Amino acid sequence: MMNQNMEITEESLGREIFGPLGGIIELGAVADAGPERPLESVSVTDFVARHREVLDRATLEIQKIGNFDSTIMAMIDELGWNQDHEITAPSLLLWSGAIQEFSPQLEDAESVQRMLRTGNDLQMTRLLHALVGAAAFRGEIVSISAPRIAYTLKSAAILLGIDQNDATRLTFRMWRTAFLPAILMPSTPASATTRTLYRGFAHELEDLLN
């Protein structure tokens, strides 16, 4: 979640989206490999190649949502999460918000599966918040951007290997509970215009996803 004191730039908007998307790629690659596959043998490039169409469409929707130029979209390659790299248990621990204690048992199958489940919830919710934040900052039309956001979430669920409808409904409920009050409550520093936009996205996404 972007620090409210941070200067909001096109680059920061992109990083807020591409961060959780990178986590989703790693989590999805591990889940796709199966519980018996050692983490060090999981191939990110093979996973991305098999899901290229889904990922390309999702990134196209992200570009439209954030009205990003080619320089910002090039950050995907610069960050390197779509290229081959080793996935480690500590990286899964990071994506899952440290749901497990750091220990020699971190690579045990039970620990890995718990980190995957928690990481799915956390990174999907962060992705949704970042997408809405980018669209709201750009002043995008809610009725146009909300379906794009919903599509991107469903694409993320495909990458994670989880049910699209169930995952997007759950993600919306988690986002509405964990993130929205910090923006919508009268005591927050958000402007009236920002509150109106976020409410609009919340209402439209509720209808689309439920």
Side-chain angles (χ1 to χ4, degrees):
M1 180 178 179
M2 190 176 294
N3 188 321
Q4 293 180 351
N5 295 321
M6 181 188 299
E7 180 185 0
I8 300 177
T9 64
E10 190 175 51
E11 181 178 347
S12 65
L13 291 173
R15 287 187 179 277
E16 287 291 308
I17 294 172
F18 300 144
L21 186 57
I24 286 166
I25 293 294
E26 286 203 1
L27 293 162
V30 174
D32 185 64
E36 303 303 320
R37 186 87 169 266
L39 290 179
E40 61 268 18
S41 68
V42 175
S43 172
V44 174
T45 49
D46 286 352
F47 176 79
V48 168
R50 289 195 301 273
H51 296 82
R52 173 55 63 188
E53 185 176 352
V54 174
L55 187 56
D56 284 350
R57 179 61 190 275
T59 54
L60 178 61
E61 294 302 319
I62 288 169
Q63 185 172 20
K64 293 176 180 177
I65 291 164
N67 193 20
F68 294 132
D69 62 23
S70 57
T71 301
I72 298 303
M73 298 307 295
M75 288 171 54
I76 293 176
D77 291 330
E78 293 169 7
L79 292 170
W81 48 250
N82 61 337
Q83 301 164 20
D84 207 21
H85 63 275
E86 185 179 358
I87 299 176
T88 64
S91 70
L92 296 183
L93 188 63
L94 175 66
W95 297 125
S96 64
I99 190 65
Q100 291 289 106
E101 182 179 1
F102 186 79
S103 72
Q105 287 74 46
L106 198 58
E107 290 194 26
D108 290 353
E110 183 178 354
S111 295
V112 169
Q113 292 306 306
R114 182 173 291 110
M115 289 189 288
L116 291 181
R117 291 191 298 269
T118 308
N120 291 352
D121 292 344
L122 185 55
Q123 300 312 318
M124 286 280 286
T125 309
R126 286 178 171 171
L127 177 62
L128 174 54
H129 190 58
L131 292 170
V132 174
F137 180 77
R138 295 295 199 182
E140 295 294 317
I141 298 172
V142 171
S143 60
I144 294 176
S145 288
R148 290 173 174 163
I149 292 171
Y151 182 91
T152 305
L153 274 188
K154 290 183 178 182
S155 297
I158 292 173
L159 293 171
L160 290 168
I162 55 181
D163 184 88
Q164 297 176 54
N165 294 325
D166 289 346
T168 52
R169 283 194 295 265
L170 176 60
T171 298
F172 173 76
R173 290 197 297 269
M174 290 188 293
W175 172 73
R176 181 176 57 186
T177 303
F179 287 90
L180 270 188
I183 296 169
L184 300 184
M185 291 294 288
S187 58
T188 68
S191 68
T193 300
T194 297
R195 291 194 190 102
T196 298
L197 277 170
Y198 273 82
R199 283 195 181 97
F201 277 109
H203 297 170
E204 190 79 12
L205 287 167
E206 182 176 20
D207 291 340
L208 285 170
L209 298 176
N210 291 333

